[in-house]
Amino acid sequence: MGVMRATGLMLTLTGRVVNEVASFVVFTILDLLDVVLCVIYKVIDFVVEAEWKPCYCSSAKEAITSSGKILVSEQGESKIVCLSSSKLQLEDISDTLYLRSSLVSDISKTTVKELKRLKIEGTAIRTCEKVKNGSVRSTFTINSTIIEMLQGKIGGQQSHPIPRWSDCDCKTCTSWSSSCKETLFVQADGAEDNASEDVLFIHGFISSSAFWTETVFPNFSESTKSKYRLLAIDLLGFGRSPKPTDSLYTLREHVEMIERSVLEPYRVKNFHIVAHSLGCILALALAVKYPGAVKSLTLLAPPYFPVPKGEHGAQFVLRKVAPRRVWPLIAFGASIACWYEHISRTVCLVICKNHRLWEFMTKQITRNRIRTFLLEGFFCHTHNAAWHTLHNIICGSASKMDGYLDAVDDMINCVVTVFHGSDDELLPLECSYAVRSKIPRANIKVIEKKDHITIVVGRQKAFARELEEIWKKSSG
């Protein structure tokens, strides 16, 4: 028995060492490749679109808009404040967008020095100086890409409906641009005018409303559909919703779009929320903003990583979600999406821009034996939307999650249920237990032998019954 145990430990250690070495080699190559792709895309962007498009490889620089409005950022924080004569607007920008150390930079003295300079200059530095007319002007330095993207919005320009050359321009992906009103795509089902309560369904990262409408919606009982109005949305930048090229896809933007597209036009008063993965962060933000209206919170695989004292929240979550390892494969894919702006853009160029071809091939190979709603949800987004949502929501919300969970525990009297698959390799089961440590009344349901997707897909009938019980309990 002792020999077998020692052999098992040796094999585990060997596998770990092999994974570390392979990861070092692979990600060193990817670091170099991303630099090369940066130059290639800048040249192509200039040739095709007649301008140099900003990216997060850009250096920091000082900028104040010519409109007289001022940008400010606090020392050591990843927040940008937009000041005008009458409004203070807070944008949450994750510094993981432009501060990501690489294996190449770690072993290069020159690069290390440059990163230190960027960290000093790129960190927002507020200084106030009196101007001639007696007013106060704030100056700062911050990553130039953020400045360039925000300047157009601050100047009052409209968002750009025209897709970039590397984005898909099919009818499905651009249908929103023909509308005079930019609102999210909403799929409504169930009760209409006589609905006693509403249920808002929020999908996860690179998914769509079809994650719900093709699975649990058809499996709700007739009595449920006669009582509840079911509202599933495509988040900003995904599915059939708007995909503005100049958006930073911040938490505030996502929440405001949900308000503008669902809560206001549908006159939602009391509602339940069902959210998956990234959608759980938006669900908590909505619950905190509308504490008296939320009847129940059902969270599936919430991405909550308690940040240790002394750690930088966004950077800590980035390392947790994307550990820069070649194995398991889902960690490798997450690392590509999180760490490499230009490689991930190339993936979107190959997959998302040509999604009609991939969907057609899938249908031919499977002979239509399976539905393709998961693929369609995965394909229908832009790189700009995915990149910014990933960093500004999953990483950037790290400093807010504790406050949201505390607020739900202390001030919001609603039923909280958390589902998590025991085989989820993307977000570990510890995330849900961490939620319960903040909200002791939360009911944790571990679904055995299910992963991040099959927690719903494949068990939609059972999940529909579980949701009905939750809603019944919260209304009782």
Side-chain angles (χ1 to χ4, degrees):
M1 184 65 70
V3 174
M4 292 180 62
R5 184 177 179 182
T7 303
L9 291 174
M10 181 62 67
L11 290 174
T12 300
L13 180 61
T14 302
R16 189 176 302 167
V17 171
V18 170
N19 193 18
E20 291 282 345
V21 173
S23 298
F24 178 85
V25 174
V26 170
F27 283 100
T28 299
I29 294 172
L30 292 177
D31 290 339
L32 294 171
L33 177 60
D34 204 56
V35 173
V36 174
L37 287 174
C38 175
V39 177
I40 293 174
Y41 277 120
K42 282 192 178 299
V43 173
I44 298 176
D45 287 342
F46 183 76
V47 172
V48 177
E49 300 178 348
E51 61 178 321
W52 300 106
K53 292 293 183 178
C55 70
Y56 289 101
C57 302
S58 306
S59 62
K61 70 180 181 182
E62 184 174 327
I64 293 182
T65 62
S66 58
S67 63
K69 298 175 183 178
I70 304 167
L71 295 175
V72 180
S73 183
E74 297 288 352
Q75 173 74 30
E77 295 289 337
S78 57
K79 295 180 179 179
I80 291 179
V81 178
C82 166
L83 293 172
S84 67
S85 59
S86 61
K87 185 178 181 181
L88 176 66
Q89 186 178 5
L90 192 65
E91 292 271 19
D92 294 307
I93 310 296
S94 175
D95 65 2
T96 57
L97 284 166
Y98 52 89
L99 288 178
R100 300 181 308 280
S101 60
S102 67
L103 295 175
V104 172
S105 65
D106 289 342
I107 60 175
S108 169
K109 292 183 180 180
T110 303
T111 307
V112 168
K113 290 181 180 179
E114 181 66 9
L115 285 176
K116 288 181 178 178
R117 184 183 68 81
L118 289 179
K119 188 173 183 180
I120 295 173
E121 295 181 1
T123 302
I125 303 172
R126 179 191 289 184
T127 60
C128 293
E129 56 183 21
K130 295 288 182 178
V131 294
K132 292 182 179 181
N133 59 5
S135 62
V136 176
R137 169 167 291 186
S138 298
T139 62
F140 76 104
T141 56
I142 194 66
N143 181 266
S144 59
T145 299
I146 294 175
I147 300 305
E148 292 181 49
M149 295 189 74
L150 282 176
Q151 278 183 338
K153 300 178 73 174
I154 295 170
Q157 298 176 9
Q158 297 296 319
S159 60
H160 302 295
I162 301 175
R164 300 187 65 178
W165 67 268
S166 55
D167 296 333
C168 180
D169 59 357
C170 74
K171 185 177 180 180
T172 300
C173 292
T174 61
S175 58
W176 62 275
S177 62
S178 60
S179 174
C180 60
K181 187 178 181 181
E182 286 189 11
T183 56
L184 302 178
F185 174 81
V186 182
Q187 181 69 44
D189 198 359
E192 296 179 358
D193 298 333
N194 60 340
S196 58
E197 293 178 358
D198 293 299
V199 186
L200 175 61
F201 290 81
I202 309 176
H203 64 77
F205 185 58
I206 54 176
S207 186
S208 72
S209 57
F211 184 79
W212 310 110
T213 60
E214 295 288 340
T215 56
V216 293
F217 274 32
N219 288 287
F220 285 124
S221 65
E222 290 302 319
S223 60
T224 295
K225 290 185 177 181
S226 65
K227 180 179 180 181
Y228 299 96
R229 181 168 54 180
L230 312 174
L231 303 167
I233 60 172
D234 286 350
L235 290 174
L236 180 67
F238 300 89
R240 283 167 281 185
S241 284
K243 304 172 180 65
T245 59
D246 60 352
S247 174
L248 286 167
Y249 295 89
T250 61
L251 182 64
R252 181 185 61 82
E253 287 178 283
H254 278 287
V255 170
E256 286 184 353
M257 283 296 287
I258 293 174
E259 292 173 321
R260 188 190 314 164
S261 309
V262 183
L263 303 188
E264 295 171 6
Y266 286 89
R267 298 180 181 178
V268 174
K269 295 181 180 179
N270 297 317
F271 61 105
H272 306 264
I273 305 179
V274 181
H276 177 238
S277 192
L278 173 142
C280 296
I281 300 173
L282 302 179
L284 289 168
L286 284 168
V288 171
K289 193 168 185 179
Y290 298 93
V294 176
K295 306 279 287 184
S296 72
L297 268 175
T298 303
L299 309 177
L300 284 73
Y304 172 54
F305 297 92
V307 180
K309 190 174 182 179
E311 287 272 6
H312 185 284
Q315 297 287 340
F316 175 78
V317 172
L318 175 65
R319 294 193 300 272
K320 282 290 187 178
V321 173
R324 288 168 65 91
R325 293 291 180 268
V326 296
W327 188 264
L329 289 178
I330 196 166
F332 179 66
S335 298
I336 293 291
C338 291
W339 289 84
Y340 299 106
E341 181 179 2
H342 304 290
I343 294 177
S344 59
R345 184 181 178 185
T346 303
V347 173
C348 286
L349 173 63
V350 173
I351 295 179
C352 300
K353 185 177 177 64
N354 303 291
H355 69 87
R356 289 166 293 181
L357 172 63
W358 300 117
E359 291 165 9
F360 173 78
M361 291 177 62
T362 301
K363 290 178 181 179
Q364 294 303 309
I365 294 172
T366 61
R367 295 187 180 182
N368 294 316
R369 287 196 299 268
I370 64 172
R371 296 184 179 183
T372 60
F373 67 90
L374 287 177
L375 290 177
E376 291 170 0
F378 180 81
F379 291 146
C380 290
H381 66 272
T382 65
H383 174 253
N384 184 61
W387 177 257
H388 285 93
T389 297
L390 191 156
H391 283 279
N392 286 337
I393 304 298
I394 293 182
C395 297
S397 64
S399 61
K400 291 184 173 64
M401 288 293 285
D402 284 336
Y404 287 160
L405 294 170
D406 288 339
V408 171
D409 182 45
D410 296 336
M411 299 179 291
I412 303 175
N413 184 24
C414 69
V415 174
V416 181
T417 310
V418 183
F419 290 83
H420 213 119
S422 63
D423 295 343
D424 193 330
E425 291 186 329
L426 181 62
L427 296 172
L429 189 56
E430 286 73 18
C431 289
S432 288
Y433 287 126
V435 169
R436 188 169 63 182
S437 70
K438 302 289 289 185
I439 310 175
R441 74 175 188 275
N443 183 19
I444 306 296
K445 295 187 176 183
V446 178
I447 311 302
E448 297 296 333
K449 298 181 180 180
K450 298 298 179 181
D451 59 26
H452 199 65
I453 301 299
T454 56
I455 191 175
V456 174
V457 179
R459 60 178 301 271
Q460 51 263 31
K461 290 184 179 180
F463 185 57
R465 300 289 85 77
E466 290 164 343
L467 287 178
E468 290 172 339
E469 286 299 317
I470 292 170
W471 302 338
K472 182 180 179 180
K473 178 182 177 181
S474 62
S475 300

